[in-house]
Amino acid sequence: MTSTSVQRAAAGASITNGVFVADGYGLRVAVDKRHLIVSDGMGRQRRETRFARVGHGLRRLVIFGHSGTISLEALRWLDRVGVSFVHLDKDGRLLAASTQPGLDDARLRRAQAVAAGTDVGLSLTVDLLDAKLAGQASVARSHLRRDHVWSDIEALRAKLRSVDDIGRAREIEATAAAIYFTAWPGHVALTWARNDLPRIPEHWRAFTGRRSPLSTGSATRAADPINALLNYMYALAEIECRRACLMLGLDPGLGFLHVDAKGRDSLALDLIETVRPAIEAFVLDLADGHVFRFTDFVERDDGHCRILPPLTHRLAESLPQWEAVVAPWAEHIAHRLADASGRAVRKRTPLTSALRRAAAVDGSQGRRKFATARTTVRENASALKPSLGAACVACGTPLSRRQRSYCQACWQVTQRAAGIAGSQSARSQLTEPNGRSVRGTAIREGKLRARDERARSAGFAPNAWDQHIGPSVRALSLDELRRAIGISTTQASRIRMGSQIPDPKYWTALATAAAARLDRLNPERSTEP
């Protein structure tokens, strides 16, 4: 942020996957000179971002918080350029959402209303649950490495295809979910920043089960971060499922698998069953590859675990991914209902553009068409990879470069600690005995004992060199030493300096040479009786 009270950002700033996230206090979304103005932040750390009608790059405008305003003109601006508006509370609960008016055909909704309890409703339920079980089996094999879970779920899929009652389909789905989530405990845990490990509660360190101890028989109130991540991502996917229903002219509240209930979008919940394995693979990849911080979550007074900004913002940027997964299934439901309608209902594909692209290929005789990010359908859960960016393994601070493991501050601390550890290791190698030093000492002691034995064999005491022979020999010149025992000048120099002790077999010759030198220097010594 700049030092001024407002930061002005160019169009396209802070947009990931076409999603712009705004939060803080005193939010303002308005239109000025045909530009959309989004002001967010708090205190002196505020920003103001402008978006033009052309080249804005927006697909979703997501707002977190409850303090601020959005003008009617801004809502009209978003509608005209095809941008969806999503308003989430601080805890991730959906408060409001808008989407472009989709197909409006009462005959399709009539077919949807009467399909529940019929063979059409059962067939659609089996299709959705089969996609869910296939995804769970894939995740069990690819992420959890549990082949036996994969085989058990595949066996349940075979039974699901032959059911003739929705109640039996629900039982098979519940059995598969129980088998699937029993493979998670002991194998799924978040990666925490090392500096935060002392602050992490024990029940946050690993996944223990999908059922929450805070709500009997339910997982809606998470007690640990992994379940909080799953619940939040499910809520984001539900937004896309509801939007897909509205775009296709379906009623989000009339479902097949989920029974009708007040204030519940049953069809959106039916659709989310196809997205759940992709979300679970996404969370497993996050647990394995992203470094989380203690400040990414909060535990309320009742033990309820919630996700905090900015992690909520970065996760919200995955909305287009869930749109890509749910789009073909939403269109599949609409087309099946159109077939079941007693009146002609036109089939359309506004979410995937599948019919338009197929017609373009037929009309161009196979000319290559490049799918855009909006129309690309990723049905394989493993294709949805988290993109939260790299983080410091010590403190969890986001990094600008993925190749790094530490931020600048933690890198300096780590280097300093590594230098201290290296110095201590070097000192310990000098002071503490190890295998090499013990072996070297034994070799030296063995050589000294062998030399003492050879000295005794030559008629000398072991300490004769140090006390008598050595001092007199050091007075000889290099030439005298070389001639006395036939050695090189280098060896003679070492003997004179005392760095080398010759073998005891040479002591007699060296003592004789030293005595002869004394006789030459002191002739009177040689004539004494």
Side-chain angles (χ1 to χ4, degrees):
M1 292 294 181
T2 61
S3 58
T4 59
S5 59
V6 175
Q7 176 195 13
R8 296 188 178 274
S14 303
I15 297 179
T16 303
N17 297 329
V19 179
F20 183 86
V21 180
D23 77 328
Y25 293 91
L27 294 170
R28 177 176 174 267
V29 183
V31 176
D32 178 42
K33 299 177 181 178
R34 299 186 178 182
H35 287 73
L36 182 71
I37 310 299
V38 181
S39 300
D40 65 337
M42 63 182 67
R44 293 182 58 84
Q45 303 299 318
R46 296 190 64 81
R47 65 176 176 174
E48 181 179 287
T49 310
R50 302 175 65 90
F51 298 97
R53 291 182 183 274
V54 178
H56 50 76
L58 274 177
R59 296 179 60 194
R60 305 282 189 280
L61 175 62
V62 181
I63 291 181
F64 280 91
H66 55 272
S67 173
T69 60
I70 179 170
S71 68
L72 296 177
E73 191 176 7
L75 291 175
R76 182 174 180 269
W77 191 98
L78 293 172
D79 177 75
R80 291 300 177 89
V81 299
V83 177
S84 298
F85 168 72
V86 179
H87 183 196
L88 300 174
D89 203 354
K90 285 295 185 182
D91 58 5
R93 186 169 57 91
L94 177 65
L95 297 179
S98 69
T99 186
Q100 289 180 288
L103 307 177
D104 187 9
D105 194 334
R107 295 169 297 181
L108 183 64
R109 293 194 296 273
R110 178 76 66 182
Q112 177 187 357
V114 301
T118 66
D119 292 340
V120 175
L122 175 62
S123 175
L124 289 173
T125 299
V126 171
D127 290 344
L128 297 178
L129 292 184
D130 182 72
K132 177 183 180 179
L133 267 61
Q136 288 180 338
S138 176
V139 172
R141 167 173 278 187
S142 62
H143 288 74
L144 301 175
R145 305 292 191 272
R146 293 292 176 268
D147 289 342
H148 67 280
V149 176
W150 171 83
S151 60
D152 291 344
I153 296 178
E154 287 293 336
L156 290 173
R157 282 187 66 197
K159 295 181 180 179
L160 179 67
R161 298 188 189 100
S162 60
V163 298
D164 55 0
D165 178 68
I166 289 183
R168 177 57 181 160
R170 293 193 184 103
E171 293 176 1
I172 293 176
E173 184 270 337
T175 304
I179 296 173
Y180 173 66
F181 279 108
T182 53
W184 283 48
H187 302 93
V188 181
L190 298 185
T191 303
W192 296 98
R194 289 202 302 262
N195 296 350
D196 290 343
L197 285 176
R199 306 171 62 189
I200 305 301
E202 190 62 31
H203 62 281
W204 281 21
R205 295 180 180 270
F207 182 87
T208 57
R210 186 70 184 112
R211 298 293 183 182
S212 173
L214 305 177
S215 53
T216 305
S218 174
T220 55
R221 300 178 65 204
D224 59 85
I226 296 179
N227 279 303
L229 286 170
L230 289 172
N231 289 347
Y232 182 74
M233 300 307 297
Y234 291 152
L236 294 179
E238 185 179 350
I239 295 172
E240 291 300 325
C241 291
R242 186 178 187 275
R243 176 178 176 275
C245 293
L246 295 175
M247 288 287 292
L248 291 166
L250 299 172
D251 189 332
L254 299 177
F256 311 106
L257 174 62
H258 294 81
V259 297
D260 298 339
K262 181 180 179 181
R264 183 170 74 178
D265 293 333
S266 297
L267 182 58
L269 295 179
D270 289 352
L271 277 173
I272 204 176
E273 299 298 336
T274 63
V275 191
R276 289 183 187 273
I279 291 176
E280 289 146 10
F282 184 92
V283 172
L284 289 173
D285 287 333
L286 278 182
D288 184 59
H290 183 70
V291 179
F292 290 89
R293 294 183 291 178
F294 177 76
T295 54
D296 288 335
F297 305 90
V298 63
E299 187 176 66
R300 296 189 172 179
D301 294 340
D302 59 353
H304 190 187
C305 182
R306 290 283 192 180
I307 308 175
L308 294 177
L311 181 58
T312 51
H313 305 169
R314 300 168 72 183
L315 292 174
E317 294 169 354
S318 66
L319 282 169
Q321 295 182 342
W322 317 130
E323 176 197 22
V325 177
V326 75
W329 288 106
E331 292 177 351
H332 171 70
I333 292 176
H335 294 173
R336 289 292 305 276
L337 293 175
D339 291 336
S341 176
R343 308 173 71 177
V345 178
R346 183 178 178 182
K347 298 178 183 179
R348 297 186 179 183
T349 56
L351 301 178
T352 63
S353 301
L355 295 179
R356 178 178 59 80
R357 286 186 286 118
V361 171
D362 294 339
S364 61
Q365 297 181 356
R367 185 174 58 194
R368 179 178 296 180
K369 296 292 181 180
F370 295 94
T372 64
R374 181 182 179 88
T375 59
T376 299
V377 177
R378 305 173 197 167
E379 297 183 75
N380 187 357
S382 61
L384 298 172
K385 295 296 183 181
S387 57
L388 298 189
C392 176
V393 298
C395 66
T397 302
L399 301 176
S400 57
R401 294 175 58 186
R402 182 170 291 276
Q403 293 81 1
R404 294 182 176 178
S405 298
Y406 296 94
C407 63
Q408 186 65 24
C410 292
W411 180 82
Q412 293 176 355
V413 173
T414 303
Q415 291 294 103
R416 192 179 303 113
I420 295 173
S423 300
Q424 293 176 348
S425 176
R427 286 195 296 268
S428 65
Q429 291 179 2
L430 294 175
T431 58
E432 297 179 3
N434 51 34
R436 174 176 289 185
S437 62
V438 170
R439 181 172 176 270
T441 301
I443 291 174
R444 287 193 297 272
E445 292 176 351
K447 289 181 177 181
L448 290 175
R449 288 194 297 269
R451 191 188 67 184
D452 293 344
E453 289 296 329
R454 291 195 300 272
R456 293 190 184 94
S457 300
F460 296 97
N463 59 354
W465 177 266
D466 295 329
Q467 294 184 357
H468 307 292
I469 304 174
S472 60
V473 167
R474 293 190 187 100
L476 296 173
S477 65
L478 294 179
D479 290 338
E480 291 172 338
L481 279 171
R482 285 192 307 106
R483 289 193 298 267
I485 57 177
I487 59 176
S488 65
T489 304
T490 302
Q491 290 178 312
S493 177
R494 291 173 181 170
I495 293 173
R496 281 189 61 184
M497 290 187 298
S499 61
Q500 179 178 338
I501 299 176
D503 192 89
K505 65 182 179 180
Y506 299 120
W507 288 4
T508 302
L510 291 173
T512 303
R517 184 176 185 278
L518 289 176
D519 291 341
R520 289 195 303 271
L521 295 177
N522 189 6
E524 297 179 354
R525 178 177 177 274
S526 61
T527 59
E528 292 178 357

